[in-house]
Amino acid sequence: MAEYKGLFHIDESAKWGLLLTNVENTLKSGEEMELAVVANAEAVRDFAQEGTIRERMSKLAAQGVSFSACRNALQGNNVDITSLPDFVQIVPAGIVELIKLQTAGFCYIKP
Amino acid sequence: MAEYKGLFHIDESAKWGLLLTNVENTLKSGEEMELAVVANAEAVRDFAQEGTIRERMSKLAAQGVSFSACRNALQGNNVDITSLPDFVQIVPAGIVELIKLQTAGFCYIKP
Amino acid sequence: MAEYKGLFHIDESAKWGLLLTNVENTLKSGEEMELAVVANAEAVRDFAQEGTIRERMSKLAAQGVSFSACRNALQGNNVDITSLPDFVQIVPAGIVELIKLQTAGFCYIKP
């Protein structure tokens, strides 16, 4: 079990670049970390779009970072679920996931 | 006692719509949740304004969600305290309330 | 040991005024509080600039508030480390610091 657990919350598309830089730097720190990213609101749209952001997500997922998308937000933003990459886990409600993970010891960060 | 406790922080008026949608979706999730909203800075002004936002707050308050306003912010934004609806609790300092609730097990969320 | 511990996160320069007001009001509350401020991303630049913001930081530091700057962010924003005031502590990675302090009982606040 990792000594430290970090939970990143994103609800604005414009924050993806900063968030991914934060996650990348955290992984480079050498500390043993378990990291999760939970997206809700408009930020879930970026999971469905090819490009640099998704390539960076994909590399982080391969290093063990988890990525979750809020189903309410996917529906509200008309995101085609079949367009999501395999590394994205769909959760029923993003906020509930954020509360459950914090209750399980994850430390919240909002870039 | 609810299994999960969520604490929503708001300090920008523009975020009320998103925050209330988050709270509404969380309540619909079917999980047993105790939810609190703490507003400071300019966000306390919206408690004093009639309209859709306040109607949504009122419905959530009737479902058990607590709403707190920072007294420092009410004074700094010249909000007439007599214009606040009954469901709003005034706390001496919003940040202190956020720290006390987290210390009591509430999980922080900043939409 | 303080009864309550508050941890303020800032990554946008525009939020310094609000954050410092939050910290000042928290100190005035009369509660026994241990307070830490961790800055990353562009927000570290303000540590290197003379002016009202830095004077307010300096007064808070004299009252026991800690201020930390992310080394990754200092480098990424080309901040000359010799221009930082003595009260600023440099940490290897801001996000790691935020996770460690939360693990040590600090309550996260993002103004």
Side-chain angles (χ1 to χ4, degrees):
Chain A
M1 209 179 70
E3 191 174 4
Y4 296 112
K5 299 178 188 178
L7 170 62
F8 295 84
H9 176 204
I10 182 164
D11 52 13
E12 294 175 275
S13 287
K15 297 291 175 68
W16 270 114
L18 174 59
L19 183 146
L20 295 174
T21 300
N22 286 173
V23 175
E24 289 157 0
N25 282 334
T26 304
L27 285 183
K28 281 182 207 152
S29 73
E31 301 281 351
E32 203 182 335
M33 290 271 173
E34 185 178 351
L35 300 179
V37 177
V38 175
N40 69 336
E42 66 169 36
V44 301
R45 294 193 294 220
D46 302 81
F47 288 133
Q49 285 160 6
E50 292 183 26
T52 315
I53 291 293
R54 212 168 74 174
E55 286 165 20
R56 292 170 70 191
M57 291 176 186
S58 180
K59 279 182 192 163
L60 290 168
Q63 292 177 269
V65 177
S66 75
F67 287 86
S68 299
C70 172
R71 183 179 285 134
N72 293 319
L74 290 167
Q75 290 172 346
N77 286 276
N78 299 312
V79 176
D80 176 11
I81 288 179
T82 63
S83 66
L84 297 181
D86 287 345
F87 64 78
V88 177
Q89 177 192 359
I90 300 175
V91 295
I95 300 296
V96 174
E97 187 72 7
L98 288 167
I99 293 172
K100 286 186 172 178
L101 287 174
Q102 286 188 69
T103 303
F106 278 80
C107 300
Y108 181 90
I109 310 276
K110 181 83 187 290
Chain B
M1 208 178 72
E3 191 175 2
Y4 295 112
K5 299 178 188 178
L7 170 61
F8 294 83
H9 176 203
I10 182 164
D11 53 12
E12 293 175 275
S13 287
K15 297 290 175 68
W16 270 114
L18 173 60
L19 183 146
L20 295 174
T21 300
N22 286 173
V23 175
E24 289 157 0
N25 282 335
T26 305
L27 285 183
K28 281 181 207 152
S29 72
E31 301 281 350
E32 202 181 336
M33 290 272 175
E34 184 177 351
L35 301 178
V37 177
V38 175
N40 69 335
E42 65 170 37
V44 301
R45 294 194 295 219
D46 301 80
F47 287 134
Q49 284 160 6
E50 291 183 26
T52 314
I53 290 292
R54 212 168 74 175
E55 285 165 21
R56 292 170 70 190
M57 290 176 186
S58 180
K59 280 183 193 163
L60 290 168
Q63 293 177 268
V65 177
S66 76
F67 287 87
S68 299
C70 172
R71 182 179 286 134
N72 293 320
L74 290 168
Q75 290 172 346
N77 287 278
N78 299 311
V79 176
D80 176 11
I81 288 179
T82 62
S83 66
L84 298 180
D86 287 345
F87 64 79
V88 177
Q89 177 192 359
I90 300 175
V91 295
I95 300 297
V96 174
E97 187 71 8
L98 288 167
I99 293 172
K100 286 186 172 177
L101 287 174
Q102 286 188 68
T103 303
F106 278 80
C107 299
Y108 180 89
I109 310 276
K110 180 82 188 291
Chain C
M1 209 178 71
E3 191 175 3
Y4 296 112
K5 299 178 187 179
L7 170 61
F8 295 83
H9 176 203
I10 183 164
D11 52 13
E12 294 175 275
S13 287
K15 297 289 175 68
W16 271 114
L18 174 59
L19 183 146
L20 295 174
T21 299
N22 286 173
V23 175
E24 288 157 0
N25 283 335
T26 304
L27 285 183
K28 281 181 207 153
S29 72
E31 301 281 350
E32 202 181 336
M33 290 271 173
E34 184 177 352
L35 300 179
V37 177
V38 175
N40 69 336
E42 65 171 37
V44 301
R45 293 193 296 220
D46 302 81
F47 287 134
Q49 285 160 5
E50 292 183 26
T52 315
I53 291 293
R54 212 168 74 174
E55 285 164 22
R56 292 170 71 191
M57 290 175 186
S58 180
K59 279 182 194 164
L60 290 168
Q63 291 176 270
V65 177
S66 76
F67 287 86
S68 299
C70 171
R71 181 179 286 133
N72 294 320
L74 290 167
Q75 290 172 347
N77 286 278
N78 299 312
V79 175
D80 176 11
I81 288 179
T82 62
S83 66
L84 297 180
D86 286 345
F87 64 78
V88 177
Q89 177 192 359
I90 299 175
V91 295
I95 300 297
V96 174
E97 187 72 8
L98 288 167
I99 293 172
K100 286 186 172 177
L101 287 174
Q102 286 188 68
T103 303
F106 278 80
C107 299
Y108 181 89
I109 310 277
K110 180 83 186 291

